[in-house]
Amino acid sequence: MEDKKMLFSAIQPSGILTIGNYLGALRNFKKLQDDYNGVFALADLHTLTVKQDPAILRKNIYELTALYLACGIDPEKSILFAQSHVSAHTELAWVLNTICYPGELSRMTQFKDKSLKHEDNINMGLMDYPVLMAADILLYQTELVPIGADQKQHLELARDLAIRFNNRYGETFKVPEGYMSKSAARVKSLAEPERKMSKSDANLNAFISMDDDPATVLRKFKRAVTDSDDKIIYSPEDKPGISNLLTIYCAFTGKSIEQAQEEFAGKGYGDFKVAVGEVVTSAIEPIRQEKNRLLADKTYLDQVLSNGAERAERLAYRTLNKVYKKVGLVLRKRG
């Protein structure tokens, strides 16, 4: 790979992504792969911490692969692969488990949150997946990890484990830094704008899916919760619904909040909602169509994942072999 900094990012194939995921992550990947050596993974092993329908999980893996490509990931420039196709991830996770402490994992906010949501399936994978996440990152001598605010704790654990291993066994891992996009927008629910937009929301009108067609996008924006006032101004405390729509409009147009407020001064909520729907549609509809085109060719998607796994393995086992030597294991002699 070129002499650029290594960047690693992974998304779970656990369902259709929203425009919040697009603005926070997927939209940036095309540019990031030009500036860095990009390693992009489908974190399929992480999805197993929650009960999955096997057939739906397999479908979601192909869906996310196609979406990555439709959003501009070039499999020649970047490495795109499924986490489960590179066994070094779980092998390194085991070694890192031996230097990670139970208290560190039990304090993880997401473990607490998911334990409350899935009380019938509080499993060890749910507690331990931050260690697997650390392995994902450290295997590729990653220097930058695109993260959202809710992932800071996991990145800190990866950093702590890298430093702890280096101190105990000698310099082995690069200590990764977080990368937060300056343009990332905090997109809220269209039905309850005090909450984050979520693909798992039971109310389908609360989020815009990357699979929504233009008519659906427009209908959902027309139904978006606002308020009884008629002024289009940014005020998250007093007007969370309108403020959320302004945030979305500006994220997709590149305009400032001030410019948007001026543009819609004196106009009604109906016109504004239609305008937001139209700019969102113009951005995501070409992606939706390209994704559907790619999904029709599973052979191509399998080839992309296979080639990506081969390239990822070469990098991953370079690190894993170094780790095994450091801890005193005897490497298998091949040939």
Side-chain angles (χ1 to χ4, degrees):
M1 300 186 78
E2 294 180 54
D3 187 22
K4 299 177 182 176
K5 287 186 176 182
M6 294 295 297
L7 178 141
F8 178 88
S9 183
I11 297 177
Q12 290 191 37
S14 54
I16 301 303
L17 300 186
T18 71
I19 58 169
N21 302 119
Y22 172 70
L23 293 171
L26 291 164
R27 180 174 68 168
N28 303 317
F29 288 167
K30 185 175 181 179
K31 181 179 184 303
L32 289 173
Q33 73 179 351
D34 292 330
D35 297 336
Y36 304 98
N37 284 322
V39 180
F40 300 98
L42 288 77
D44 50 353
L45 292 174
H46 286 294
T47 66
L48 301 180
T49 60
V50 175
K51 290 178 182 175
Q52 300 287 338
D53 179 313
I56 292 176
L57 177 56
R58 276 189 287 272
K59 176 178 179 290
N60 287 342
I61 290 170
Y62 282 115
E63 292 263 352
L64 183 55
T65 303
L67 183 58
Y68 265 125
L69 296 170
C71 285
I73 291 293
D74 182 344
E76 298 298 321
K77 283 184 180 179
S78 302
I79 296 176
L80 175 59
F81 70 106
Q83 178 191 34
S84 63
H85 291 177
V86 180
S87 57
H89 286 252
T90 49
E91 293 179 74
L92 179 58
W94 177 253
V95 177
L96 294 180
N97 270 326
T98 66
I99 62 166
C100 186
Y101 309 124
E104 291 177 300
L105 300 180
S106 64
R107 288 193 296 271
M108 289 286 163
T109 303
Q110 287 200 29
F111 170 67
K112 295 175 183 176
D113 291 346
K114 286 196 173 184
S115 295
L116 290 174
K117 291 179 182 176
H118 305 279
E119 291 182 343
D120 62 332
N121 185 32
I122 302 175
N123 56 75
M124 281 308 301
L126 196 61
M127 174 177 275
D128 197 45
Y129 85 93
V131 180
L132 178 56
M133 189 179 296
D136 297 339
I137 294 167
L138 300 181
L139 265 178
Y140 299 97
Q141 300 298 339
T142 303
E143 292 161 278
L144 288 171
V145 185
I147 58 168
D150 58 345
Q151 296 167 315
K152 283 184 178 179
Q153 202 176 25
H154 292 147
L155 179 61
E156 280 305 313
L157 179 69
R159 288 171 53 82
D160 289 345
L161 293 178
I163 293 168
R164 192 175 300 161
F165 190 95
N166 290 347
N167 288 340
R168 186 176 298 185
Y169 295 107
E171 202 64 28
T172 308
F173 297 116
K174 288 187 177 177
V175 180
E177 299 285 344
Y179 174 95
M180 296 189 75
S181 172
K182 294 176 182 177
S183 62
R186 291 180 176 272
V187 178
K188 304 291 187 179
S189 162
L190 299 183
E192 298 176 71
E194 297 82 9
R195 297 193 302 111
K196 180 180 176 182
M197 183 179 285
S198 171
K199 64 188 176 189
S200 59
D201 200 312
N203 182 355
L204 298 181
N205 290 313
F207 62 91
I208 303 295
S209 157
M210 292 300 290
D211 267 3
D212 284 342
D213 59 38
T216 302
V217 171
L218 198 57
R219 174 175 51 78
K220 288 184 177 181
F221 274 114
K222 285 180 176 179
R223 294 180 179 179
V225 169
T226 51
D227 52 58
S228 57
D229 196 352
D230 62 353
K231 294 178 181 175
I232 300 171
I233 57 174
Y234 187 79
S235 178
E237 293 296 323
D238 300 325
K239 300 169 74 68
I242 284 296
S243 298
N244 183 41
L245 295 180
L246 278 167
T247 297
I248 294 170
Y249 183 77
C250 292
F252 277 96
T253 61
K255 295 179 180 179
S256 68
I257 293 290
E258 292 74 19
Q259 288 173 324
Q261 287 178 151
E262 187 177 334
E263 181 181 350
F264 292 99
K267 294 185 180 179
Y269 284 174
D271 291 340
F272 177 51
K273 289 179 177 182
V274 169
V276 179
E278 287 175 347
V279 297
V280 171
T281 295
S282 67
I284 70 172
E285 179 59 14
I287 295 171
R288 187 183 75 90
Q289 291 185 9
E290 175 63 5
K291 176 191 167 188
N292 289 339
R293 185 190 71 80
L294 290 163
L295 280 171
D297 190 352
K298 292 280 176 46
T299 301
Y300 172 69
L301 296 179
D302 283 331
Q303 191 61 54
V304 167
L305 292 176
S306 177
N307 291 344
E310 287 179 15
R311 294 170 65 196
E313 270 186 333
R314 286 195 289 271
L315 295 175
Y317 275 99
R318 194 181 302 165
T319 296
L320 187 66
N321 287 341
K322 186 186 295 185
V323 168
Y324 277 3
K325 284 181 183 178
K326 290 286 180 75
V327 300
L329 299 179
V330 175
L331 298 184
R332 175 185 170 189
K333 303 300 180 186
R334 300 177 183 275

